Amino acid sequence: MKRILVTGGAGFLGSHLCERLVESGHDVLCVDNYFTGSKSNIAHLLGNPRFELMRHDVTFPLYVEVDEIYNLACPASPIHYQHDPVQTTKTSVHGAINMLGLAKRLKARILQASTSEVYGDPEVHPQPESYWGRVNPIGVRSCYDEGKRCAETLFFDYWRQHRLPIKVVRIFNTYGPRMHPNDGRVVSNFIVQALRGQDITIYGDGSQTRSFCYVDDLIEAMQRMMATPEEITGPVNVGNPGEFSMLELAEKVIQLTASSSRLEFRPLPSDDPSQRQPDIGLARRVLNGWQPTVALDEGLDRTIAYFKKRLSV
Ligand SMILES: NC(=O)c1ccc[n+]([C@@H]2O[C@H](COP(=O)([O-])OP(=O)(O)OC[C@H]3O[C@@H](n4cnc5c(N)ncnc54)[C@H](O)[C@@H]3O)[C@@H](O)[C@H]2O)c1
């Protein structure tokens, strides 16, 4: 049994991680400022003596005693991270500094939830970890992309300078129950629009592709990463390499929800990458043969069931 801190624990991924860690018999301290997360995501854990919740903003120092830290705190969707871009960069950078400082004091393992956005609009497909990316440093997505890149830099300098046991995972698009219904992420957007019978918004011509990982597969990878030997620092890509165009995704969602929604095309936002697909060869090697197991149709079914309940449709 370990004492484990999860920052951003009341968010989409964080709540699933807290749940899984509590189920595995650990004591979990969930820290969140509820910017995009909510108490309802972890309400079912509140009565559990192994679970503790603390309202805290990671841009301020935190003094607690734990054995491991998963650092997930950061708004993840463009709508939310562009709402207050200065705060977004602060959350990534100051948050990393504060959590790394805490980990150093405690000699605790620390895992960073980094992102495929560190690759920017890539010229290489699929993206291996050795690719340095093509990121606009001054665009509207930069607060998130560069904030996450700087956080990775800090993690690796703590490793080189202090031998702090770090783990960095680069997460590719992940979806599932407890995604925020209005945050503009494509899977939740399409499902909510389909369930409400509204037109499904496609940016550009819909030929841009993404890969979608179901949340349970991702959480499994994060836990396996935390348990790797000390010399495995990452960065390690985690995601599902299956590639789908926005048009294909929209058609699947319409079919699975039996919706009468039609497609509505809008101009592509700036810096929107045309293709994004993980190379998960390294993850397979260092995470004991890990690979995604939940197919898109099955994951969409579970996510649709969640949104049906949440939207009461
Ligand atoms: N879901 C994905 O597809 C995806 C992809 C790449 C990376 N990630 C990363 O995974 C992490 C979790 O993402 P998510 O999809 O669960 O998003 P989310 O918005 O649901 O979760 C983020 C959580 O962090 C909290 N938070 C934000 N700023 C904070 C602060 N200053 N102090 C404390 N808490 C704060 C939010 O309230 C929220 O609960 C993020 O770091 C994100 O960048 C997610």
Side-chain angles (χ1 to χ4, degrees), residues 11-13 32-33 35-37 57-58 72 144 148 174 185:
F12 160 48
L13 297 181
D32 207 295
N33 71 348
F35 175 48
T36 51
D57 183 327
V58 294
L72 275 66
Y144 183 71
K148 288 285 191 180
T174 301
R185 283 195 254 188

Side-chain angles (χ1 to χ4, degrees), residues 15-255:
S15 62
H16 286 274
L17 179 62
C18 288
E19 195 174 282
R20 193 79 86 82
L21 292 170
V22 167
E23 277 167 13
S24 313
H26 300 296
D27 270 350
V28 174
L29 173 59
C30 167
V31 160
D32 207 295
N33 71 348
Y34 308 125
F35 175 48
T36 51
S38 78
K39 283 187 199 165
S40 62
N41 284 341
I42 31 89
H44 59 296
L45 296 173
L46 285 174
N48 193 315
R50 292 199 186 286
F51 182 77
E52 201 179 336
L53 179 61
M54 183 193 278
R55 180 193 291 267
H56 175 80
D57 183 327
V58 294
T59 61
F60 297 97
L62 179 66
Y63 300 99
V64 293
E65 307 300 317
V66 291
D67 307 304
E68 284 179 354
I69 302 171
Y70 287 84
N71 188 36
L72 275 66
C74 186
S77 74
I79 289 182
H80 287 132
Y81 70 63
Q82 288 167 9
H83 170 74
D84 185 349
V86 172
Q87 180 64 18
T88 300
T89 304
K90 277 188 183 169
T91 295
S92 273
V93 178
H94 292 206
I97 290 170
N98 289 326
M99 291 310 122
L100 286 162
L102 175 65
K104 180 172 171 253
R105 177 172 74 77
L106 300 171
K107 297 185 175 55
R109 285 186 166 215
I110 179 166
L111 179 145
Q112 168 69 356
S114 191
T115 170
S116 56
E117 301 286 338
V118 300
Y119 299 120
D121 190 359
E123 310 102 320
V124 177
H125 298 284
Q127 292 89 46
E129 291 81 352
S130 54
Y131 177 57
W132 290 353
R134 189 165 74 116
V135 176
N136 175 355
I138 57 168
V140 293
R141 299 173 79 111
S142 312
C143 58
Y144 183 71
D145 302 4
E146 297 288 23
K148 288 285 191 180
R149 284 169 70 95
C150 184
E152 286 198 8
T153 307
L154 284 159
F155 268 69
F156 279 86
D157 281 331
Y158 266 79
W159 164 244
R160 281 185 287 261
Q161 206 173 325
H162 304 295
R163 282 290 158 221
L164 185 71
I166 62 147
K167 309 282 170 192
V168 175
V169 290
R170 290 184 177 154
I171 303 170
F172 284 66
N173 270 352
T174 301
Y175 71 99
R178 302 197 202 119
M179 290 181 91
H180 201 290
N182 308 317
D183 69 1
R185 283 195 254 188
V186 64
V187 174
S188 44
N189 242 17
F190 285 6
I191 292 177
V192 169
Q193 288 173 326
L195 289 175
R196 289 187 172 145
Q198 298 163 346
D199 287 349
I200 292 193
T201 319
I202 307 247
Y203 293 98
D205 63 3
S207 63
Q208 69 274 37
T209 62
R210 293 290 185 275
S211 60
F212 303 102
C213 183
Y214 188 67
V215 59
D216 289 1
D217 285 330
L218 182 92
I219 300 300
E220 176 68 28
M222 285 175 110
Q223 282 189 286
R224 287 191 191 199
M225 183 66 184
M226 188 59 112
T228 52
E230 200 159 304
E231 65 278 9
I232 308 287
T233 55
V236 176
N237 289 338
V238 285
N240 190 327
E243 209 180 353
F244 297 89
S245 73
M246 296 303 98
L247 281 178
E248 283 173 307
L249 179 69
E251 276 153 18
K252 270 187 190 296
V253 169
I254 288 177
Q255 184 209 330

